[in-house]
């Protein structure tokens, strides 16, 4: 049983405060959906957990199994069991997908996987994600479509087997077929018992990945929490009651 504990987290980008006291606990086997309007701080939460240098933690704590995440370097956080699937995966020219994946898994597991079992493991995961095996020899994300990049993120998730996965708008830019495949990949990993923090604007991915908890994010903090029914309510009503913005009545 692993647990990610976020207490009173305040984060700034330069002189601009973004997170203003976030409290959240994610345990093994739980899926938490974070929803909210643009600019509410959802992605800042994801990147702060991962250790992005753009963001400065000014107050609060992040613990993974009692260990201080904020005292760790980015690679130490990954080895400790944290995983971030980025909204906009970056290209890495000159580094093949196969080399990238094997290097990452070696760093996390502490030893290089045996080649024969490794090839079988990668091919199996790629087949499940409906990825052409030729992608393994292409440079990381270079020339990939949006859907291909997201499948590659979930391929990493399946192979690295983290304790806690933070998925930042994994559904953005996906068509219906890609959303189905990517969601199935996330669900396969969820079945292993990891904790999942799923950040999204829309409820469509929640039709495939059912959350245990839904949290509404606004102005840098969680303003309401509930179950799956809260996501359904947001789909119908939007965020007006949190933002104070009322829809203009239609004639």
């Amino acid at each position: 049983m692993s647990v990610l504990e976020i207490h009173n987290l305040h984060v700034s980008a330069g002189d601009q405060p973004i997170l203003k006291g976030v409290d959240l606990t994610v345990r093994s086997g739980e899926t938490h959906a974070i929803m909210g309007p643009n600019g509410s701080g959802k992605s800042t939460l994801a990147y702060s957990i991962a250790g992005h240098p753009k963001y400065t933690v000014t107050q609060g704590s992040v613990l993974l199994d009692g260990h201080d995440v904020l005292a760790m370097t980015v690679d130490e956080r990954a080895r400790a069991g944290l995983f971030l699937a980025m909204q906009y995966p970056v290209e890495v020219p000159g580094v093949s997908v196969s080399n990238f994946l094997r290097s990452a898994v070696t760093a996390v597991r502490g030893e290089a996987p045996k080649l024969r079992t490794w090839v079988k493991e990668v091919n199996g995961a790629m087949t499940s994600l409906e990825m052409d095996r030729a992608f393994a020899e292409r440079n990381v994300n270079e020339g990939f479509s949006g859907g291909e990049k997201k499948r590659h993120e979930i391929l990493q998730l399946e192979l690295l087997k983290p304790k806690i996965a933070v998925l930042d708008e994994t559904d953005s830019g996906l068509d219906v077929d890609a959303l189905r495949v990517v969601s199935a990949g996330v669900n396969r990993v969820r079945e292993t018992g990891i904790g999942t923090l799923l950040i999204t604007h829309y409820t469509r991915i929640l039709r495939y990945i059912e959350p245990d908890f839904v949290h509404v994010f606004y102005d840098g903090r969680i303003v309401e929490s509930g179950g799956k029914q809260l996501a359904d309510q947001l789909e119908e009503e939007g965020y007006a009651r949190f933002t104070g913005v009322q829809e203009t009545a239609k004639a």
Side-chain angles (χ1 to χ4, degrees), residues 64-82:
L64 178 61
D65 296 337
H67 300 289
D68 184 2
V69 169
L70 301 180
M72 301 177 187
T73 62
V74 172
D75 59 304
E76 287 172 341
R77 298 180 197 205
R79 287 197 294 270
L82 287 175

Side-chain angles (χ1 to χ4, degrees), residues 54 56 142 175 203:
K54 174 182 176 181
T56 301
E142 197 169 35
D175 60 28
T203 59

